[in-house]
């Protein structure tokens, strides 16, 4: 890598925090030391802004990319925000209801869960925690502390949506939904292929890489000066786009195979150790 200040893009779940939402002290120290050294730091996450809770902002960040790339913010300024249209939102809600699939709507103003989501999602959230090596999920409210549960009727027809996540009864539910919404970006999370736990629907052609491109244009910055940190398949376009890509040791095999560097796991000070190894901060910072 060339010398000089870098722009760092850090995924949140599984990279900055563990899968129970715990934020290692070493990660906080690393980010604060990197910014003190003149580097810029942005979180780059599937979460909407409403899910970026105060402890993350209190680290000290230059901004965020949210909704897997639908929202870009720099020092409080909204650089880009691409929303699902109200007509698309209505179609999605009606389709998921017709399939009896519980879901939640992701907006910068909050998370809005369908009628039966809280009960129906518990087995999936428990399995998600188990797969990430963190069993013991006692409630859906523990996973989504600020979610608004039990939304019905017109409360689900919104005009401020970044993304919709829905529980999969089977992988066929995802395939049928993707076929139903070719005008949308369709994906899954919580597992690969048949093991996926959730489907999601967002704005077409939105990716973390596309959002980074918008932010760099806004900053007048160069792609070669960017470093991406991630742990999951959804982070691969971000690592491919940036000048240098770091995968967490606790991440998936696909992203580790393509990364320039594989660091330690989240709880093994992986972010801090990568910052030191890449010369972003001095050892002991």
């Amino acid at each position: 890598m060339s010398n000089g200040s870098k722009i760092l893009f850090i995924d949140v779940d599984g990279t900055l925090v563990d899968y129970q939402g715990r934020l290692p002290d070493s990660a906080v120290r690393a980010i604060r030391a990197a910014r003190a050294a003149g580097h810029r730091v942005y979180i780059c996450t599937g979460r909407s802004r409403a899910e970026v809770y105060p402890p993350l902002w209190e680290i000290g960040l230059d901004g965020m990319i949210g909704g897997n790339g639908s929202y870009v913010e720099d020092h409080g300024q909204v650089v880009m925000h691409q929303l699902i249209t109200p007509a698309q939102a209505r179609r999605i809600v009606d389709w998921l209801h017709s399939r009896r699939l519980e879901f939640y709507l992701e907006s910068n103003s909050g998370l809005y869960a369908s009628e039966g989501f809280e009960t129906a999602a518990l087995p999936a959230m428990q399995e998600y925690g188990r797969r990430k090596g963190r069993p013991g999920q006692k409630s859906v409210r523990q996973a989504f502390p600020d979610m608004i549960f039990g939304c019905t009727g017109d409360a689900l027809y919104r005009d401020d949506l970044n993304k919709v996540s829905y529980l999969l009864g089977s992988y066929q539910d995802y395939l049928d939904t993707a076929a139903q919404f070719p005008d949308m970006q369709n994906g899954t999370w919580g597992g690969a292929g048949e093991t996926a736990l959730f489907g999601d629907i967002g704005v077409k052609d939105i990716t973390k890489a596309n959002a980074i491109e918008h932010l760099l244009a806004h900053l007048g910055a160069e792609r070669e000066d960017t470093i991406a940190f991630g742990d999951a398949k959804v982070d691969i376009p971000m690592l491919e786009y940036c000048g240098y890509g770091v995968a967490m040791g606790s991440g998936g095999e696909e992203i580790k195979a393509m990364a320039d560097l594989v660091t330690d796991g989240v709880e093994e000070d992986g972010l801090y150790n990568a910052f030191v190894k890449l010369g972003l901060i001095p050892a002991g910072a």
Side-chain angles (χ1 to χ4, degrees):
M1 295 185 300
S2 62
N3 294 326
S5 64
K6 301 295 180 184
I7 306 173
L8 314 181
F9 296 98
I10 305 173
D11 170 56
V12 174
D13 296 285
T15 302
L16 178 57
V17 304
D18 70 17
Y19 291 104
Q20 297 300 304
R22 287 186 285 255
L23 174 63
D25 290 340
S26 64
V28 176
R29 292 202 320 274
I31 290 172
R32 288 175 177 168
R35 293 186 74 230
H39 306 296
R40 285 185 269 202
V41 180
Y42 297 82
I43 53 172
C44 195
T45 175
R47 298 189 189 196
S48 292
R49 202 186 193 287
E51 297 172 88
V52 181
Y53 304 118
L56 294 182
W57 287 114
E58 287 163 7
I59 297 170
L61 299 168
D62 290 280
M64 71 169 288
I65 289 170
N68 279 335
S70 67
Y71 177 76
V72 181
E73 178 182 317
D74 175 48
H75 292 279
Q77 178 184 355
V78 178
V79 175
M80 180 189 81
H81 195 186
Q82 299 191 40
L83 293 167
I84 294 172
T85 69
Q88 288 171 329
R90 183 173 285 268
R91 281 177 51 221
I92 292 166
V93 168
D94 289 347
W95 165 260
L96 294 174
H97 274 145
S98 75
R99 295 285 294 220
R100 294 192 171 90
L101 298 173
E102 300 293 340
F103 58 89
Y104 65 95
L105 310 175
E106 303 180 44
S107 156
N108 281 9
S109 66
L111 302 182
Y112 304 90
S114 63
E115 297 89 330
F117 180 80
E118 183 176 3
T119 302
L122 183 57
M125 295 310 300
Q126 288 174 330
E127 175 63 13
Y128 184 68
R130 188 190 67 77
R131 289 179 184 177
K132 301 301 183 182
R134 287 290 173 187
Q137 190 75 41
K138 295 180 178 65
S139 72
V140 174
R141 289 177 186 260
Q142 183 184 351
F144 300 106
D146 293 337
M147 182 175 277
I148 299 166
F149 292 96
C151 299
T152 60
D154 288 346
L156 293 169
Y157 295 135
R158 304 188 60 86
D159 61 2
D160 60 351
L161 298 186
N162 301 318
K163 195 157 62 85
V164 178
S165 285
Y166 59 96
L167 277 166
L168 293 174
S170 70
Y171 192 62
Q172 193 62 44
D173 289 328
Y174 161 71
L175 296 175
D176 292 347
T177 300
Q180 186 74 13
F181 296 96
D183 56 324
M184 310 294 293
Q185 193 80 15
N186 289 274
T188 61
W189 58 276
E194 296 283 351
T195 70
L197 298 170
F198 287 85
D200 59 31
I201 310 172
V203 179
K204 189 76 169 176
D205 297 327
I206 283 295
T207 65
K208 291 182 177 184
N210 176 63
I212 291 171
E213 190 170 20
H214 278 273
L215 180 58
L216 294 181
H218 168 75
L219 296 174
E222 298 298 326
R223 184 171 163 180
E224 67 191 35
D225 292 323
T226 58
I227 307 175
F229 301 79
D231 75 303
K233 189 174 180 180
V234 72
D235 299 319
I236 289 176
M238 172 173 76
L239 268 68
E240 288 176 335
Y241 179 84
C242 287
Y244 197 86
V246 180
M248 305 304 288
S250 46
E253 293 307 314
E254 285 180 86
I255 193 168
K256 287 195 282 191
M258 57 75 60
D260 296 301
L261 171 70
V262 178
T263 187
D264 304 294
V266 183
E267 294 173 304
E268 286 76 49
D269 303 324
L271 210 59
Y272 176 91
N273 292 340
F275 278 31
V276 171
K277 186 170 283 189
L278 294 175
L280 299 169
I281 62 175

